[in-house]
Amino acid sequence: MTEENNEPEILFGIYCPPHPHPLLCPEANEGYGKLRSAYEECRKRIEESEADLILIYSTTWPSIVGHQIQALENPVWTHVDDDFHYLGSMPYDFKIDVDFANGYAQAAEKRGLHSRTVAYEGFPIDTGSVVALQLLNPDNRIPACIVSSNMYANRAETIVLGKAARDALAEQGKKAIVVVVASLSNRMFTEHIDEVDDRIHSQKDDDWNQKILEFFGAGRLEDLSQLSRDIHGQIRVNKVVAYKPAWWMAATMGQHNNYTGEVLAYEALHGSGGAVITLTPTDGSFGDKEFDEDDVEFYHGDRNVLDKGML
Amino acid sequence: MMTKGEIVLGCLAPHPPHLVYADNPPQNEAYSEGGWETLRWGYARLARKLKTIDYDVLVVFTPHWQTYIGTHFLGLPNFKSKSVDPIFPNLFRFNYDLNVDVELAEKMREAADEAGIITKMMTNPDFRVDYGTIVSCHLLNPDWDKPIVTISSNRNTHYYSAEVMNEQAAALGRACQKAIEKSGKRVVLVSSHSLSHRHFTTEAPLPEDMSREHIYNHSNYVWDLKLVQMMRDGKMKEVIDIMPEFTEQTIAETDAGAFTWMMSALGYPDYPAEIYGYQSVIGTGNLVASWDPNDETREYVL
Ligand SMILES: [Fe+2]
């Protein structure tokens, strides 16, 4: 398949935080309210767009067996967050694009990934996906697709997963809004705080977040993708092997820096960096960096380094 | 004066949903042709022992209720819903209806709080109990005729280090032990997790196809079995001392703190563990074992 003559149509991308405060208690802190307004601005833009699909990659949905894709047409449940259960329950009733879920899983398999759809009543849709979909698409105007973040996947696998999303979008001719649900710095306070006193956990986290926002604001998505390992080392708690959202987002939207970026809000969520950002593909160009991390088209599995060089 | 409460047994009870799936209990929606007998038969043997023990409550420390802000305790008397495993939904969709000993949970929370640990009671009725709790409790007590307490796993291994986890989980264990003593209750502790914890990222078309099951790598196997030997030898203090290294080397699920918590509450047994079975599940290393503080009832199982 040649990408050149089979380009997907991606209307714009959204990067937004997973924590439930903007949904459940926007009034508890001025910053939560600003994040809520930013979500609402995105919702309006989605409504005004001609999108056929909202495609979500959520860092709060970990998978182990390959890459899982939600494929239950109408998941209905009441979700409660593990940490923030005291802020309230999150009932949901979503509309999933099952055709796209199947198409995405097949496209991932074609690129060497292990992938499967999940369609089970009561499947626990993660906090990040619930928050994003509730706020961005409250009336289910547009069907959604949610893909998991594999715990063990690193750069190659994540980039190939993004490219598979492009394949499926092009194949089905669907106009998409691409949504990544992830914090910037993800270190939270390890104690309960009064929401009014919320702030970014440390100056260092704030500094790095500001730098990342500068790149987003300038539309330099591929540069962020290339900087992912640094970002992981500097401001990400080592819950998973790498900071992956920018890899997936760039691979899905297009691995370049030709975007108009807009930071709609940046606020603290229990110490973590929460930002609502939009990226719209454009003709302009920014950045003149070249990186030495090779691009990758297919996933070939583990390299079995452990077994090499053994007696 | 009320008699002193005590811990009557500590169980290492791994929770791969595969084991419940393989057992086909009526509560689970998925159907299997079996699998993982070494672990399931071991569990059944331990469940039989539990039937002979007089106890009031199972206290479970689970890695699948992950909290970053302190340690949380289930705080409502009943939870009824369906637990669908987010990782293996094809295997585990379990309808549960369980009772919680809220009084003991609150006492443990208070004791932990007094020890300087950040804590929270979970009182949202819509909360779904995690599948680690359900799998371990179901396999230890398929009749579900005892109340439970679930303690969340604070993720301090990831926020700080496995050394910090070890210290904090040990402090929590001491606090819970004190609370149990004061409560006058007879308590079974449940440490719910695998040992080595590297999974295969693909699954056989038939997940219970045992011709495909094996440990992820030999290094993990050797580590797991080293721990088993130390448990047989009653060297639990030493096991906890090397917990950070073990956890790092085998990406062990001991990162959650459950095992350190249980050993600390049991006072680091120097008597031999009862070993019920070791087997891999989708590459991870799983051991069913127990620590019986009573010299008269402690058995040499395997
Ligand atoms: Fe687990």
Side-chain angles (χ1 to χ4, degrees), chain A residues 23-246:
Chain A
L23 176 67
L24 295 176
C25 59
E27 69 297 333
N29 172 300
E30 206 186 318
Y32 305 167
K34 285 184 185 161
L35 287 166
R36 174 66 169 255
S37 305
Y39 273 110
E40 270 158 20
E41 176 61 27
C42 290
R43 172 182 58 79
K44 240 182 278 159
R45 291 186 196 180
I46 294 171
E47 276 170 15
E48 286 159 8
S49 77
E50 292 174 348
D52 303 308
L53 174 74
I54 297 177
L55 171 57
I56 297 183
Y57 171 88
S58 175
T59 51
T60 49
W61 181 13
S63 59
I64 287 174
V65 181
H67 304 274
Q68 298 195 135
I69 300 167
Q70 181 56 243
L72 187 67
E73 195 174 359
N74 180 212
V76 181
W77 204 263
T78 296
H79 178 67
V80 177
D81 188 70
D82 276 357
D83 259 306
F84 300 112
H85 42 79
Y86 55 90
L87 294 180
S89 306
M90 295 174 260
Y92 61 78
D93 182 340
F94 294 141
K95 188 164 87 185
I96 297 294
D97 184 336
V98 178
D99 271 352
F100 185 78
N102 290 326
Y104 191 1
Q106 283 157 16
E109 291 278 342
K110 272 192 205 152
R111 283 187 180 265
L113 298 169
H114 188 64
S115 177
R116 67 181 182 192
T117 55
V118 293
Y120 302 100
E121 193 245 324
F123 182 92
I125 296 183
D126 59 287
T127 298
S129 298
V130 171
V131 170
L133 265 180
Q134 288 288 52
L135 291 174
L136 295 174
N137 192 40
D139 322 312
N140 286 322
R141 259 191 66 252
I142 299 162
C145 174
I146 310 170
V147 62
S148 71
S149 173
N150 185 289
M151 272 180 56
Y152 298 110
N154 211 306
R155 181 175 176 274
E157 208 171 336
T158 306
I159 283 181
V160 171
L161 183 67
K163 290 185 176 181
R166 283 180 80 77
D167 298 344
L169 287 171
E171 171 83 30
Q172 299 197 1
K174 284 179 176 157
K175 296 192 202 87
I177 310 285
V178 169
V179 178
V180 162
V181 187
S183 300
L184 299 175
S185 64
N186 65 345
R187 187 170 286 276
M188 292 193 287
F189 293 109
T190 51
E191 54 207 48
H192 294 96
I193 59 166
D194 188 340
E195 277 86 13
V196 177
D197 302 328
D198 209 343
R199 58 177 175 82
I200 300 293
H201 190 276
S202 68
Q203 186 64 48
K204 182 186 175 188
D205 282 359
D206 190 36
D207 289 348
W208 270 89
N209 290 342
Q210 298 286 2
K211 184 49 83 179
I212 293 168
L213 292 174
E214 227 178 278
F215 275 65
F216 267 123
R220 295 169 64 180
L221 179 57
E222 177 59 12
D223 286 353
L224 281 168
S225 171
Q226 296 282 349
L227 283 168
S228 287
R229 293 194 197 281
D230 293 296
I231 292 169
H232 187 69
Q234 294 292 339
I235 53 162
R236 297 287 289 188
V237 172
N238 288 317
K239 294 189 272 186
V240 291
V241 294
Y243 169 73
K244 297 179 259 202

Side-chain angles (χ1 to χ4, degrees), chain B residues 87-112:
Chain B
I87 311 283
F88 302 103
N90 50 327
L91 310 182
F92 191 78
R93 304 187 298 281
F94 190 97
N95 294 286
Y96 65 87
D97 182 352
L98 57 84
N99 296 321
V100 174
D101 184 338
V102 178
E103 190 192 318
L104 181 63
E106 266 164 2
K107 285 204 170 104
M108 291 197 295
R109 192 210 66 78
E110 277 162 30

